[in-house]
Amino acid sequence: MPGPGAYWYGEEEKDAVMEVMESGYLFRYGSENDPKFLHKVSTLESEFASYCGANHALATSSGTSSLLVSLIALDLKPGDEVIVPAYTFVATYSTCIFAGLVPVLTEIDESLSMDPEDIEHRITPRTKAIIPVHMLGNPCNMDRIMEIARKHNLKVLEDSCQATGASYKGRKVGTIGDIGAFSLNVFKTINSGDGGLVVTNDQKLYETAFGVHDQGHKPNRFGVEVGARSVLGLNFRMNEITGAAGLAQLRKLDQIVAVLREKKNKLKSLISGAEGFKFRVLNDPEGDAATLCTIVFDTRELAVKVSKALGSKTIDQSGWHVYANMEHVLGHLKEVGQPHTKGSYPKTDDILSRSMNISIGVVDGGLGAGWGININSTDAEIEAAAKQFTEVCK
Ligand SMILES: *Cc1c(COP(=O)(O)O)cnc(C)c1O
């Protein structure tokens, strides 16, 4: 049950991966003088940077790696506090924790992303960064978040893992704050099996992130390095096979988003007459990656009734992405003196208990989006889904 890119795996991905196998160069670095070396990873980086309108992109082994590399590159110090939403994937929290930082949770609003009104209440003298998470394919309210970040001198890392292809007021997500992290896992807009990307406009940040992801080396290991490495790194590199699949998928991204938007608009217009719910607030309807359609019901009773009748779940019951369901994170929050019980974020609990996700492109029961349509659904299938939804809302 994957994302739209996986529905569209085809000859392009297969040929690109086979070319790499035949070249004999599977590592991201190869002999520059050998025409057989295909530079798939570095081509993915340059094409993704230009797709995003960013100065730099760095390929990594996963979205989680992208977040961790970004946090380390931002030069945050152990004990620094980082503001994160109470509704996100566990990696947003775990990467902060492994970087020695303290995740401080905020409420979400009816866009199902970070509530700007709650951010300032969470700021202390130790707060050093904010991680807005562009949940479910649509951007956060970046104008407000950037205003607060500037006022308090906070770094901004955009967790764009669920929003490849989305934009905010004409700018691609990930390029508005200091640095942005993307995922290429199978549930995302496009994928390479696993993999990730980091984007930034800041040369220094890029060089540091590169070093962190590759044992302290300078970008592409050009130049003299032994004795001149300024950062200590690890290994979060992408390999050429992954790069080849990711590049073939990137070249389908515009088409994927265009098709999803068309199918989502169709479904939305067919169900908008039903009563008892609103669509979630979109901070930029034009910039929606359209991977999901989120319904916020007026009451919990209706949300439970409808989602059950469709064989789905309300978001609070979906298992993943909900702070209250992450016992391992709550245990850690307890140790560092942060709110750590279910019910600590009542606005988030209320919204998630009344909401359900309908799949448009990302079909993922773990996100509470096990029911809906997919990127290959026909008009007749979309009409049938809309009819079923409208019936059970009565
Ligand atoms: C998927 C996801 C990640 C992690 O990506 P992986 O590639 O699975 O490591 C991080 N943050 C969010 C919001 C995600 O949805």
Side-chain angles (χ1 to χ4, degrees):
M1 292 199 291
Y7 282 84
W8 279 12
Y9 289 150
E11 294 302 313
E12 300 79 7
E13 288 79 1
K14 197 171 110 194
D15 291 348
V17 168
M18 284 314 292
E19 270 177 48
V20 169
M21 292 306 297
E22 279 154 17
S23 77
Y25 288 99
L26 274 64
F27 188 41
R28 74 161 288 166
Y29 304 114
S31 171
E32 291 301 323
N33 304 323
D34 186 349
K36 277 166 68 188
F37 175 45
L38 297 168
H39 309 94
K40 292 289 186 183
V41 174
S42 61
T43 308
L44 171 64
E45 290 173 336
S46 58
E47 288 195 20
F48 193 67
S50 73
Y51 176 84
C52 291
N55 292 345
H56 307 282
L58 167 67
T60 69
S61 52
S62 70
T64 306
S65 313
S66 295
L67 287 169
L68 186 59
V69 164
S70 301
L71 286 169
I72 297 171
L74 285 170
D75 201 23
L76 303 170
K77 297 282 176 289
D80 285 352
E81 293 176 2
V82 180
I83 298 188
V84 291
Y87 177 50
T88 184
F89 184 61
V90 64
T92 318
Y93 306 132
S94 59
T95 49
C96 288
I97 294 167
F98 278 103
L101 308 167
V102 178
V104 173
L105 278 55
T106 61
E107 298 277 16
I108 59 162
D109 62 19
E110 295 210 346
S111 71
L112 278 82
S113 61
M114 189 176 260
D115 179 3
E117 300 314 313
D118 192 43
I119 297 175
E120 286 193 292
H121 301 142
R122 312 282 171 184
I123 294 178
T124 76
R126 295 208 294 182
T127 310
K128 293 289 150 48
I130 308 183
I131 308 183
V133 183
H134 306 300
M135 280 301 281
L136 313 171
N138 201 262
C140 299
N141 183 341
M142 289 306 291
D143 282 348
R144 286 284 293 122
I145 292 172
M146 292 308 292
E147 191 180 297
I148 295 165
R150 285 193 194 99
K151 181 171 156 200
H152 297 273
N153 196 22
L154 307 175
K155 296 284 195 329
V156 176
L157 160 57
E158 292 176 69
D159 182 339
S160 309
C161 290
Q162 292 193 12
T164 310
S167 58
Y168 180 73
K169 301 193 175 175
R171 295 162 76 187
K172 286 285 185 312
V173 296
T175 64
I176 301 158
D178 296 279
I179 195 163
F182 293 82
S183 166
L184 297 174
N185 93 21
V186 74
F187 297 105
K188 315 300 181 175
T189 325
I190 54 169
N191 84 91
S192 56
D194 256 321
L197 288 150
V198 173
V199 297
T200 181
N201 287 319
D202 182 321
Q203 170 81 18
K204 178 90 196 344
L205 211 43
Y206 164 67
E207 285 180 12
T208 311
F210 199 100
V212 171
H213 115 292
D214 185 18
Q215 313 291 9
H217 289 291
K218 291 216 172 65
N220 300 314
R221 299 190 177 181
F222 290 146
V224 180
E225 284 155 3
V226 175
R229 285 164 293 201
S230 57
V231 289
L232 189 60
L234 292 159
N235 173 6
F236 298 110
R237 290 186 303 263
M238 181 182 281
N239 67 65
E240 287 286 286
I241 298 175
T242 304
L247 184 58
Q249 287 264 293
L250 175 60
R251 291 175 179 167
K252 297 178 178 178
L253 178 54
D254 278 334
Q255 183 66 17
I256 286 173
V257 173
V259 169
L260 293 181
R261 284 180 179 161
E262 188 195 311
K263 293 190 194 284
K264 180 169 174 177
N265 283 337
K266 183 170 173 73
L267 183 80
K268 273 180 96 166
S269 69
L270 289 170
I271 63 178
S272 60
E275 276 173 28
F277 70 87
K278 294 198 209 73
F279 294 110
R280 80 161 155 148
V281 171
L282 297 180
N283 292 308
D284 183 354
E286 308 280 301
D288 187 12
T291 43
L292 294 143
C293 176
T294 308
I295 307 289
V296 184
F297 291 93
D298 298 344
T299 64
R300 163 128 184 99
E301 291 65 42
L302 186 60
V304 170
K305 187 190 108 176
V306 172
S307 55
K308 223 178 185 170
L310 297 171
S312 189
K313 283 176 176 166
T314 53
I315 297 180
D316 64 326
Q317 299 296 313
S318 65
W320 296 85
H321 305 91
V322 182
Y323 81 95
N325 298 342
M326 296 183 200
E327 63 290 348
H328 40 2
V329 173
L330 293 176
H332 180 84
L333 292 176
K334 182 174 182 190
E335 279 173 33
V336 295
Q338 289 290 320
H340 57 269
T341 50
K342 292 185 189 203
S344 295
Y345 301 91
K347 184 172 174 183
T348 301
D349 296 334
D350 170 55
I351 293 169
L352 296 179
S353 76
R354 290 186 287 116
S355 299
M356 109 174 237
N357 283 322
I358 298 178
S359 64
I360 303 292
V362 170
V363 186
D364 178 6
L367 205 53
W371 183 87
I373 61 172
N374 67 61
I375 192 165
N376 294 330
S377 294
T378 61
D379 280 356
E381 286 163 347
I382 298 171
E383 281 155 24
K387 190 160 170 244
Q388 195 189 355
F389 181 84
T390 311
E391 289 289 313
V392 299
C393 277
K394 281 183 188 148

